[in-house]
């Protein structure tokens, strides 16, 4: 696999992630019926939604990912304190949105210096899983580092076995896609997750797309495996509504890694916040370079 095609898929994953976030945010917390009534099929990156976003603006999903990616690049390696510090700086920057579990964990670190919380039943949201792509990109050839870094960044805010399992499984699938593996290999990886925790079974699809990590993963895997282009995957996912920015981001991540950056529609690429686009280009190059040198 050439460096060029690895970079292309990695960039597809990161841009696809941000595009899914910006596209889905418009319909976050809506039901599929409400979306249909209001938009027909929602497919334009028009902003709005409950957060009142600008067109192309991203939310916490992308911002927290960028915070992790920047910590890895700035320290040329893993520095969990730097990740947590970047989360604090982000929290204090008055972000458009922040999940309750993320807020609680970041404030615990800020106020007590604790880098992880004790396991809690209500930590099974998707907030840790959603921001792990930079770790995947920085550890492409190092599965041990991938596991350790993924769990450490997760546990700053979320400490739950279902969150952990999903974060690792989706990260491994992205890694396989960036390495050029086909859908069957990815499905086997998804089956491993279902074998580990039967809750994640995504066939037959139940139609739930909430921020509960089980619902999120079912939705993302269902639409990723049942569509055949970046565009169709993303449109189907966000029109399921509920936590549409996060399901959109994670589906866009998988689809972007699979289909590559040139298959992302230009009309989405140009609508995406250009400052975010620039940061994603820089981070992708920095993280993949780091992965190849380490
Ligand atoms: Mn969000
Ligand atoms: Mn969300």
């Amino acid at each position: 696999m050439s460096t060029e095609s690895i970079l292309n898929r990695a960039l597809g994953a990161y841009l696809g992630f941000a595009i899914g976030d910006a596209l889905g945010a418009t319909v976050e917390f809506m039901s599929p019926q409400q979306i249909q009534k209001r938009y027909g099929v929602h497919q334009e990156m028009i902003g709005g939604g409950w957060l009142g976003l600008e067109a192309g603006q991203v939310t916490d999903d992308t911002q927290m990912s960028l915070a992790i990616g920047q910590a890895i690049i700035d320290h040329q390696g893993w520095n969990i304190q730097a990740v947590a510090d970047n989360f604090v700086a982000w929290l204090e920057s008055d972000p458009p949105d922040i999940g309750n579990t993320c807020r609680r964990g970041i404030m615990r670190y800020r106020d007590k210096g604790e880098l992880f919380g004790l396991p809690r039943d209500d930590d099974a949201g998707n907030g840790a899983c959603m921001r792990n792509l930079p770790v995947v990109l920085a550890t492409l050839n190092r599965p041990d580092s991938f596991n350790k870094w993924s769990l450490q960044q997760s546990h700053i805010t979320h400490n739950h076995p279902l969150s952990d399992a999903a974060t690792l499984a989706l990260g491994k699938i992205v890694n396989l896609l960036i390495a050029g593996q086909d859908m069957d290999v990815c499905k086997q990886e998804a089956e491993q997750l279902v074998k580990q925790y039967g809750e994640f079974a995504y066939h037959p699809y139940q139609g739930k797309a909430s921020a509960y990590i089980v619902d999120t993963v079912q939705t993302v895997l269902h639409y990723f495996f049942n569509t055949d282009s970046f565009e169709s995957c993303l449109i189907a996912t966000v029109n399921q509504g509920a936590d549409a920015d996060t399901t959109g981001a994670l589906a866009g991540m998988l689809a972007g890694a699979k289909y590559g950056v040139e298959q992302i529609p230009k009309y989405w690429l140009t609508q995406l916040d250009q400052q975010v686009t620039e940061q994603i280009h820089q981070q992708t190059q920095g993280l993949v370079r780091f992965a190849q040198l380490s």
Side-chain angles (χ1 to χ4, degrees), residues 2-192:
S2 70
T3 299
E4 205 181 325
S5 77
I6 289 172
L7 262 176
N8 179 283
R9 290 170 193 275
L11 188 60
Y14 215 155
L15 287 173
F17 181 90
I19 286 170
D21 182 6
L23 184 70
T26 303
V27 294
E28 190 179 21
F29 300 130
M30 292 173 75
S31 71
Q33 294 74 23
Q34 287 170 325
I35 295 170
Q36 199 185 29
K37 211 168 154 200
R38 175 119 183 229
Y39 299 106
V41 176
H42 171 57
Q43 52 187 325
E44 300 288 338
M45 208 181 283
I46 52 174
W50 73 283
L51 293 169
L53 299 168
E54 304 280 326
Q57 195 180 347
V58 297
T59 73
D60 52 345
D61 310 65
T62 304
Q63 292 177 334
M64 294 193 88
S65 300
L66 289 168
I68 293 177
Q70 204 54 51
I72 297 171
I73 289 169
D74 288 347
H75 294 268
Q76 284 301 296
W78 190 240
N79 183 326
I80 185 66
Q81 212 119 21
V83 171
D85 287 340
N86 282 2
F87 286 172
V88 171
W90 168 73
L91 175 82
E92 292 176 346
S93 73
D94 191 23
D97 181 26
I98 175 166
N100 290 332
T101 311
C102 286
R103 181 191 301 279
R104 189 178 66 215
I106 296 168
M107 288 178 67
R108 191 200 56 246
Y109 168 73
R110 186 186 69 182
D111 299 340
K112 300 189 198 163
E114 292 171 6
L115 283 161
F116 56 90
L118 296 171
R120 287 174 62 126
D121 284 346
D122 61 352
D123 280 6
N126 58 23
C129 180
M130 78 183 185
R131 61 180 184 238
N132 203 45
L133 176 59
V135 171
V136 178
L137 300 184
T139 60
L140 288 174
N141 308 311
R142 295 190 299 162
D144 291 348
S145 299
F146 165 72
N147 285 340
K148 186 181 143 213
W149 301 8
S150 297
L151 295 179
Q152 280 193 354
Q153 77 78 6
S154 293
H155 292 177
I156 295 174
T157 57
H158 292 66
N159 192 348
H160 194 283
L162 293 174
S163 165
D164 289 352
T167 303
L168 295 177
L170 287 191
K172 283 182 205 162
I173 293 174
V174 177
N175 186 315
L176 292 167
L177 290 166
I178 289 175
Q181 295 285 346
D182 62 22
M183 286 296 219
D184 284 341
V185 177
C186 296
K187 280 183 188 160
Q188 286 166 25
E189 192 62 52
E191 280 315 308
Q192 289 301 317

